[in-house]
């Protein structure tokens, strides 16, 4: 859902922000959770970070209140939730305890922002059988049933996947070997996802919001590899793999259901552009970062400094 009545970019300085209860961030040491923490701190919002192990607190920024708790043990969350104003929920556990966890959220806080997936989006890329999407849909139903103020944030393909998928080949100076080079996605910068999540955690006006987040442009996978080469200042080749070759190459490295889901999704989107939304700019008041910008800012992931022209 794209909402035209959202406020523009939040210009209040951290020092000008009124006193407010802390925001609890789950998945606090992961890629998205940590970025949400940075965004909240930058906005002057007090942050409480949930970690499963006390020693993980050492990796968190100064000023963050670290608390231990486990989504698989709902009672362990009571202390972390007490006194919070909002919760960023990034589900990282099996589904068995989801109902009990959501009940505790509703009892202790007034606002939940849930990091989900675009499983409601009527584009073939997002409509393939996906166990994670089924889990997300179930948690969304649980949250809605409580009546708590909530916002759902649904990132599409993350730009950072490129470093995991293609970084090893690029660092080795090799050709990227990958299936469905013509399949188009709209990679969204992790920082934009975190910024939207943070904004909806501390800013009013997002209750009931359902935001599908994408980058600004539809790019084929082969084009994304080409952009990586342009930013790094050297060509990066792309060689098409068949689905069978891809399954063989990823054997033992990725769960077979995940590999099959990706292959099915890429095949389903052939011949049509990716789904692109304006949700990032609607919420933040600034355009989403391009894939080229993400690569330039993370060139080290590909083993190179960016070229001066990038």
């Amino acid at each position: 859902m794209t909402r035209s009545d959202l406020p523009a970019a939040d210009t209040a300085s951290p020092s000008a922000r009124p006193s407010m209860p802390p925001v609890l961030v789950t998945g606090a040491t992961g890629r998205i959770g940590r970025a949400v923490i940075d965004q909240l701190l930058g906005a002057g919002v007090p942050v409480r970070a949930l970690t499963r192990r006390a020693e993980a607190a050492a990796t968190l920024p100064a000023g963050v209140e670290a608390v231990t708790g486990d989504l698989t043990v709902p009672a362990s969350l009571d202390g972390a939730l007490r006194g919070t104003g909002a919760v960023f929920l990034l589900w990282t556990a099996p589904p068995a305890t989801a109902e009990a966890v959501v009940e505790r959220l509703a009892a202790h806080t007034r606002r939940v922002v849930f990091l989900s997936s675009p499983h409601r989006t009527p584009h073939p890329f997002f409509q393939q059988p996906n166990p994670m999407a089924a889990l997300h849909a179930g948690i969304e139903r649980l949250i809605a049933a409580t009546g708590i103020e909530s916002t759902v944030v649904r990132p599409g393909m993350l730009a950072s996947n490129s470093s995991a998928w293609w970084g090893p080949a690029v660092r080795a100076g090799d050709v990227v070997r990958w299936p469905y080079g013509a399949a188009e996605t709209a990679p969204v910068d992790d920082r934009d996802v975190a910024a939207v999540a943070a904004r909806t955690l501390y800013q009013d006006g997002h209750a009931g919001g359902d935001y599908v987040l994408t980058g600004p442009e539809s790019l084929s996978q082969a084009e994304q590899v080409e952009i990586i080469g342009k930013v790094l200042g050297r060509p990066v080749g792309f060689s098409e793999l068949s689905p069978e070759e891809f399954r063989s190459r990823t054997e033992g490295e990725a769960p077979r259901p995940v590999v099959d889901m990706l292959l099915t999704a890429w095949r389903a989107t052939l011949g049509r552009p990716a789904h692109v939304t304006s949700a990032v700019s609607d919420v933040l008041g600034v355009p989403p970062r391009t894939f080229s910008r993400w690569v330039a800012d993370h060139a080290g992931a590909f083993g190179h400094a960016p070229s001066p022209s990038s």
Side-chain angles (χ1 to χ4, degrees), residues 182-184 266-273:
E184 298 189 29
W266 288 326
R267 181 174 65 249
T269 197
L270 289 176
R272 63 183 298 168

Side-chain angles (χ1 to χ4, degrees), residues 89 114-119 132-133 135-137 140 152-156:
L89 181 60
F114 178 47
L115 188 76
S116 187
S117 52
H119 59 84
M132 184 59 69
L135 171 63
H136 287 159
E140 289 170 33
V152 182
V153 176
R154 306 180 188 276

Side-chain angles (χ1 to χ4, degrees), residues 140-304:
E140 289 170 33
R141 288 192 293 269
L142 291 172
I143 293 172
T146 68
I148 192 173
E149 179 183 322
S150 64
T151 305
V152 182
V153 176
R154 306 180 188 276
M157 187 65 74
L158 294 172
S160 56
N161 287 337
S162 64
S163 60
W165 290 345
W166 306 323
V170 176
R171 289 193 297 271
D174 200 356
V175 169
V176 169
R177 295 173 172 83
W178 204 253
Y180 296 116
E184 298 189 29
T185 60
V188 60
D189 195 303
D190 303 51
R191 295 168 295 185
D192 288 334
V193 175
V196 169
R199 186 67 62 84
T200 60
L201 283 161
Y202 67 77
Q203 185 181 65
D204 292 333
H206 299 283
D210 192 318
Y211 303 125
V212 176
L213 308 182
T214 73
E217 54 190 339
S218 178
L219 298 166
S220 73
Q221 298 197 99
E223 287 173 330
Q224 292 171 43
V225 171
E226 182 180 3
I227 287 170
I228 292 170
K230 287 181 178 178
V231 172
L232 300 180
R234 65 172 179 83
V236 176
F238 185 94
S239 177
E240 184 90 11
L241 290 180
S242 70
E244 293 72 23
E245 289 170 331
F246 185 66
R247 289 189 180 95
S248 177
R249 287 175 64 93
T250 55
E251 186 69 38
E253 297 179 1
R256 177 53 62 88
V258 173
V259 171
D260 288 343
M261 182 271 294
L262 285 170
L263 287 169
T264 303
W266 288 326
R267 181 174 65 249
T269 197
L270 289 176
R272 63 183 298 168
H275 183 69
V276 176
T277 76
S278 62
V280 170
S281 57
D282 289 341
V283 174
L284 302 180
V286 295
R289 295 173 174 90
T290 64
F291 181 68
S292 178
R293 167 74 182 277
W294 186 91
V295 175
D297 291 345
H298 298 83
F302 301 99
H304 294 268

